[in-house]
Amino acid sequence: MTDVFWTEERIAKAEKLWSEGLSARAIADIVGSKKNTVINMAFRHRDRFPARQGPRRRGPYTPTKPTHYPDRVTRITTSGASVTMPRVPTIDGPAPIILQIATGEEIQ
């Protein structure tokens, strides 16, 4: 049988170093292991190694205005699917002219 690397003494030492704020790499150098070994051990003993950063939070959702492509046309196929296709001037007429002024407002 192989020896177990993480004995209770090493775990206690790593826990003390973790609470002092040392990085996983620094703890690995002191204990004599690799960084990922320390991270995995801390994950297995989550009750003794509290998370150092809070959960990720998204910012508030702001819906964006759909992009308008004057050279594209949405058509409904015979099967009922909605597809976007290139504008054909002989069928759809000329593309509308959209001017943008410095404020970013659209004028048609």
Side-chain angles (χ1 to χ4, degrees), residues 59-79:
Y61 175 72
T62 55
T64 58
K65 189 171 106 175
T67 306
H68 175 69
Y69 298 102
D71 60 335
R72 311 283 293 176
V73 176
T74 302
R75 294 199 175 99
I76 306 297
T77 62
T78 55
S79 63

Side-chain angles (χ1 to χ4, degrees), residues 51 63 81 84-85:
T84 303
M85 304 177 72

Side-chain angles (χ1 to χ4, degrees), residues 8-30:
E8 188 58 38
E9 293 82 27
R10 283 187 177 165
I11 293 174
K13 185 175 183 179
E15 180 182 6
K16 179 180 168 285
L17 296 171
W18 185 274
S19 65
E20 291 175 3
L22 268 69
S23 67
R25 167 103 39 216
I27 295 171
D29 291 341
I30 293 169

Side-chain angles (χ1 to χ4, degrees), residues 35-49:
K35 175 188 73 153
N36 284 342
T37 308
V38 173
I39 292 170
N40 289 333
M41 183 271 309
F43 180 75
R44 277 184 263 127
H45 299 279
R46 286 187 287 277
D47 55 333
R48 296 170 69 174
F49 293 84

